[in-house]
Amino acid sequence: MNLEYNPVVLIDICGTVFDSNTTFDFLDEFLQQSSYARFRRLSRTVIWRAISKSFALLRGTDLTRYIAVRYLRDIPRQQLVEVADRFCESVLRHKVKVRTIETIEQYRRQGYRLVLASATLDFIAEAVARWLSIDTFFGSELSYTVGGNCQGLIVKDRLGHKLQAVKDYQIALPVAVTITDNLSDIDILRMSDRVWIVAPENMRRRWLSLLKKNRLTNFSFL
């Protein structure tokens, strides 16, 4: 898909459009296996979090997310998409960040091209895009069999690698606008003409330090 024209608005999903980690909110609601429930209890312990943090530093991978996705193995992609559509309506609609939606709609009215740029799982990004009436989106891509069943593996992880996804989708840089709550999106923010930061008061000092370090002044908080 070639998106060589501007203006483009890149929009993060988790924590930006919704007050939600959409990957885990979906998995926690959808997966009913007792083994998954036990794993999630373990993943919330201090010891696990320390292990996961160390793994992320060494391997650049979210260990909790990597293991959780394994529980989707053998589930048809079509089923995941259908459940994700219902998830948007039953769960995410109650977690919408109104000021973000108002900003998105303002850019839509002005004729900007909206692009969802997320690290959430691909079928969730697809469902959110449909729910928001946004044509272009990307998320972390899972592996599927020829028959369309999920293999429980992430083959293109967009967590911390969104800029590469932007390049993969041939979106011209710099983009006109980026809307995000992710500190890890700083490489994209450096290539954005206008930046909207979705951050609570207790995160703004950290954001200001990062933005100053990168000499960015073209931002506002939502």
Side-chain angles (χ1 to χ4, degrees):
M1 184 180 298
N2 193 319
L3 297 176
E4 293 184 349
Y5 54 93
N6 271 344
V8 166
V9 181
L10 293 180
I11 308 159
D12 175 53
I13 294 177
C14 301
T16 299
V17 177
F18 305 107
D19 185 15
S20 168
N21 180 323
T22 58
T23 293
F24 280 104
D25 282 353
F26 175 88
L27 294 176
D28 292 349
E29 174 136 329
F30 174 65
L31 294 172
Q32 301 299 315
Q33 301 101 311
S34 58
S35 58
Y36 177 77
R38 289 194 297 272
F39 167 68
R40 286 297 280 143
R41 286 194 294 271
L42 172 64
S43 72
R44 295 183 177 99
T45 63
V46 174
I47 292 175
W48 180 268
R49 289 177 179 174
I51 293 171
S52 185
K53 183 176 181 180
S54 297
F55 193 87
L57 291 172
L58 291 171
R59 300 286 298 276
T61 300
D62 184 335
L63 181 61
T64 306
R65 186 162 163 264
Y66 175 83
I67 294 174
V69 167
R70 298 289 293 174
Y71 286 88
L72 296 176
R73 187 174 180 179
D74 296 330
I75 299 174
R77 189 181 195 282
Q78 185 58 38
Q79 180 184 350
L80 293 173
V81 170
E82 291 171 0
V83 175
D85 282 335
R86 295 195 295 271
F87 173 72
C88 288
E89 189 59 31
S90 64
V91 177
L92 293 184
R93 71 185 297 266
H94 302 293
K95 299 188 175 190
V96 163
K97 293 202 169 187
V98 175
R99 291 186 65 190
T100 301
I101 294 296
E102 290 174 346
T103 303
I104 291 170
E105 292 307 316
Q106 181 179 13
Y107 282 115
R108 192 197 303 269
R109 288 192 297 271
Q110 293 174 7
Y112 285 71
R113 181 63 180 264
L114 307 179
V115 178
L116 288 180
S118 179
T120 194
L121 304 182
D122 54 10
F123 62 87
I124 299 174
E126 177 182 337
V128 170
R130 190 160 36 248
W131 195 73
L132 292 173
S133 299
I134 293 176
D135 293 334
T136 307
F137 62 90
F138 62 76
S140 294
E141 298 176 21
L142 303 182
S143 174
Y144 299 92
T145 65
V146 175
N149 288 350
C150 183
Q151 294 183 304
L153 295 171
I154 298 175
V155 291
K156 283 191 178 181
D157 195 350
R158 302 306 188 185
L159 196 61
H161 305 288
K162 289 184 193 173
L163 182 57
Q164 184 57 53
V166 168
K167 294 176 180 178
D168 290 346
Y169 276 74
Q170 300 179 46
I171 298 172
L173 294 168
V175 296
V177 182
T178 295
I179 308 173
T180 188
D181 76 311
N182 287 327
L183 294 160
S184 62
D185 287 342
I186 190 64
D187 53 353
I188 293 178
L189 302 190
R190 287 196 294 263
M191 297 188 179
S192 304
D193 294 334
R194 185 78 172 90
V195 173
W196 292 94
I197 305 296
V198 181
E201 290 292 338
N202 63 353
M203 281 294 295
R204 293 191 178 186
R205 180 176 294 181
R206 189 174 176 188
W207 264 110
L208 289 169
S209 175
L210 180 64
L211 294 165
K212 182 179 180 180
K213 181 179 179 181
N214 285 272
R215 299 181 180 179
L216 295 178
T217 59
N218 56 339
F219 66 91
S220 298
F221 286 108
L222 278 177

